[in-house]
C-alpha cells in the first residue's frame, strides 16, 4: 500500500505500508483524494512536534471499504469526508456539543499502520496520505456521491476550520466588517464564511498580489498587500479580524486593526513556543482575542451542512482545488504549497 511517511529525517512516498482491519466502532476507508494542508508541512519542518515515523495527511475523502462492529451510520460503498476529531462522544465536552475540546481527541496518536514489521503513527487520527486508513466511526461523515471527492476532501479541514471559525466561533453577523490576514486555503474559507454570514465588508490581506482574483472570487470586497492599509479601508477598525498565517507580527496587526467590541480570531499556527504581544489598554473597549480549534466544529452536523451549501451554490469547493497531483508527486505538491503557488494542492490515489 502506498503512503507518505515522515520519519524526522526525510519525507518519502513508500509502497510497503500495511494497515489493520477496523475494530469495533471503526471504519476502513479507501482514500481517493487528500488535501495538502500547511499543518502537514509543519510536521515536516518541526513547527508541529509529532512522534515518528508517521503517515501524514488529515484532510481526506474516499469510499468506505469495511466497518467494524456497532457501526451503522455508514456502510461499504458510501462516500465519506473525514474529520480529524476522534472524539469519544461521551465526555462532558462532547455532551455539551464541543467535540473539539474532547480530551480523547487531543494528543493521543494511534498506530494502525505497520511497515517492515514496525508500527507507524497516524497523524491527526486520520493519515489521509495513504491508500487506505482506519478511523473512528465518528470521523467518517457520509456525503452525496455527486460531490467530486477532490473537492469533498477539503471539507474535512480547510472548510471546517475557516468557515467554522466564522459561523461557530466568531459568529459574524449580517453587516459586520471582517479582516482576513492570509488568503491560503484557510483564509479563502474564512472569506467565504464571512460572505455566507452576510458581512458588509471583507478585507483580504496577502503579500502576494496574485492571490487577489481568488480572494475576490470567494467574497473579498477589498484586497491589500499589507496590513498597513487596513485603517484606510476600515477607518474605525474591523468587527472581526482573522489571522490565518501564524506569524506573531501579523497576530499583533490583526489585534491592532480591531474596532471597539472587535474580536481577533487566531487560526494560523506559529511555532509551539511563540509568544505575541498587544497593548493591554487597547483591550478595554470590549475587545477580545479568541483561540479557535478546528473551527469550533461539530463535524457530523457541519460537514452535512456544508455539503448542502455546496449544492445550493453558496459554498465554493471545486474552486479550492487549484492543483491535483498523483501521490507519487508529493514532493512537487509540497514545494508548490510551501511557495504559495497553489491555494490547496490535492493528492489523488
Amino acid at each position: 500500500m502506498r503512503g507518505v511517511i515522515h520519519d524526522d529525517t526525510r519525507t518519502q512516498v513508500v509502497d510497503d505500508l500495511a494497515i489493520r482491519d477496523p475494530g469495533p466502532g471503526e471504519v476502513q476507508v479507501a482514500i481517493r483524494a487528500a488535501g495538502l494542508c500547511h499543518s502537514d508541512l509543519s510536521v515536516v519542518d518541526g513547527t508541529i512536534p509529532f512522534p515518528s515515523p508517521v503517515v501524514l495527511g488529515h484532510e481526506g475523502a474516499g469510499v468506505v471499504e469495511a466497518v467494524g462492529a456497532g457501526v451503522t451510520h455508514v456502510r461499504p460503498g458510501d462516500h465519506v469526508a473525514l474529520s480529524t476529531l476522534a472524539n469519544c462522544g461521551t465526555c462532558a465536552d462532547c455532551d455539551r456539543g464541543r467535540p473539539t475540546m474532547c480530551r480523547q481527541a487531543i494528543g493521543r496518536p494511534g498506530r494502525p499502520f505497520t511497515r517492515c514489521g514496525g508500527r507507524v503513527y497516524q497523524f491527526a487520527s486520520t493519515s489521509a496520505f495513504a491508500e487506505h486508513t482506519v478511523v473512528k466511526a465518528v470521523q467518517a461523515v457520509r456525503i452525496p456521491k455527486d460531490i467530486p471527492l477532490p473537492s469533498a476532501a477539503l471539507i474535512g479541514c480547510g472548510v471546517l476550520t475557516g468557515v467554522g471559525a466564522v459561523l461557530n466561533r466568531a459568529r459574524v453577523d449580517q453587516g459586520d466588517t471582517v479582516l482576513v490576514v492570509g488568503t491560503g486555503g484557510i483564509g479563502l474559507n474564512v472569506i467565504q464564511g464571512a460572505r455566507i454570514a452576510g458581512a458588509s465588508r471583507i478585507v483580504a490581506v496577502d503579500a502576494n498580489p496574485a492571490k487577489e482574483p481568488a480572494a475576490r472570487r470567494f467574497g473579498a470586497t477589498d484586497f491589500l498587500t499589507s496590513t498597513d492599509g487596513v485603517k484606510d479601508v476600515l477607518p474605525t477598525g474591523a468587527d472581526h479580524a482573522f489571522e490565518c498565517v501564524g506569524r506573531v507580527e501579523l497576530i499583533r496587526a490583526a489585534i491592532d486593526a480591531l474596532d471597539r467590541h472587535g474580536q481577533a480570531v487566531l487560526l494560523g499556527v506559529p511555532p509551539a513556543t511563540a509568544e505575541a504581544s498587544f497593548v493591554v489598554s487597547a483591550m478595554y473597549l470590549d475587545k477580545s482575542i479568541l483561540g479557535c480549534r478546528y473551527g469550533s466544529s461539530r463535524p457530523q452536523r457541519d460537514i452535512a451542512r456544508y455539503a448542502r451549501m455546496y449544492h445550493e451554490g453558496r459554498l465554493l469547493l471545486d474552486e479550492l482545488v487549484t492543483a491535483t497531483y498523483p501521490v507519487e508527486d508529493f514532493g512537487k505538491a509540497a514545494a508548490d504549497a510551501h511557495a504559495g503557488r497553489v491555494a490547496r494542492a490535492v493528492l489523488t490515489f
Side-chain angles (χ1 to χ4, degrees), residues 261-277:
H261 205 274
Q263 52 187 14
V265 182
L266 309 186
L267 296 175
V269 182
T273 58
E275 297 183 1
S277 65

Side-chain angles (χ1 to χ4, degrees), residues 177 236-241 254-255 257-265 282-283 285-290:
T177 57
T236 63
D239 294 315
H240 311 272
I255 294 168
L258 294 176
D259 196 357
R260 298 181 179 190
H261 205 274
Q263 52 187 14
V265 182
M283 303 302 294
L285 293 172
D286 284 1
K287 298 181 184 181
S288 305
I289 301 171
L290 305 179

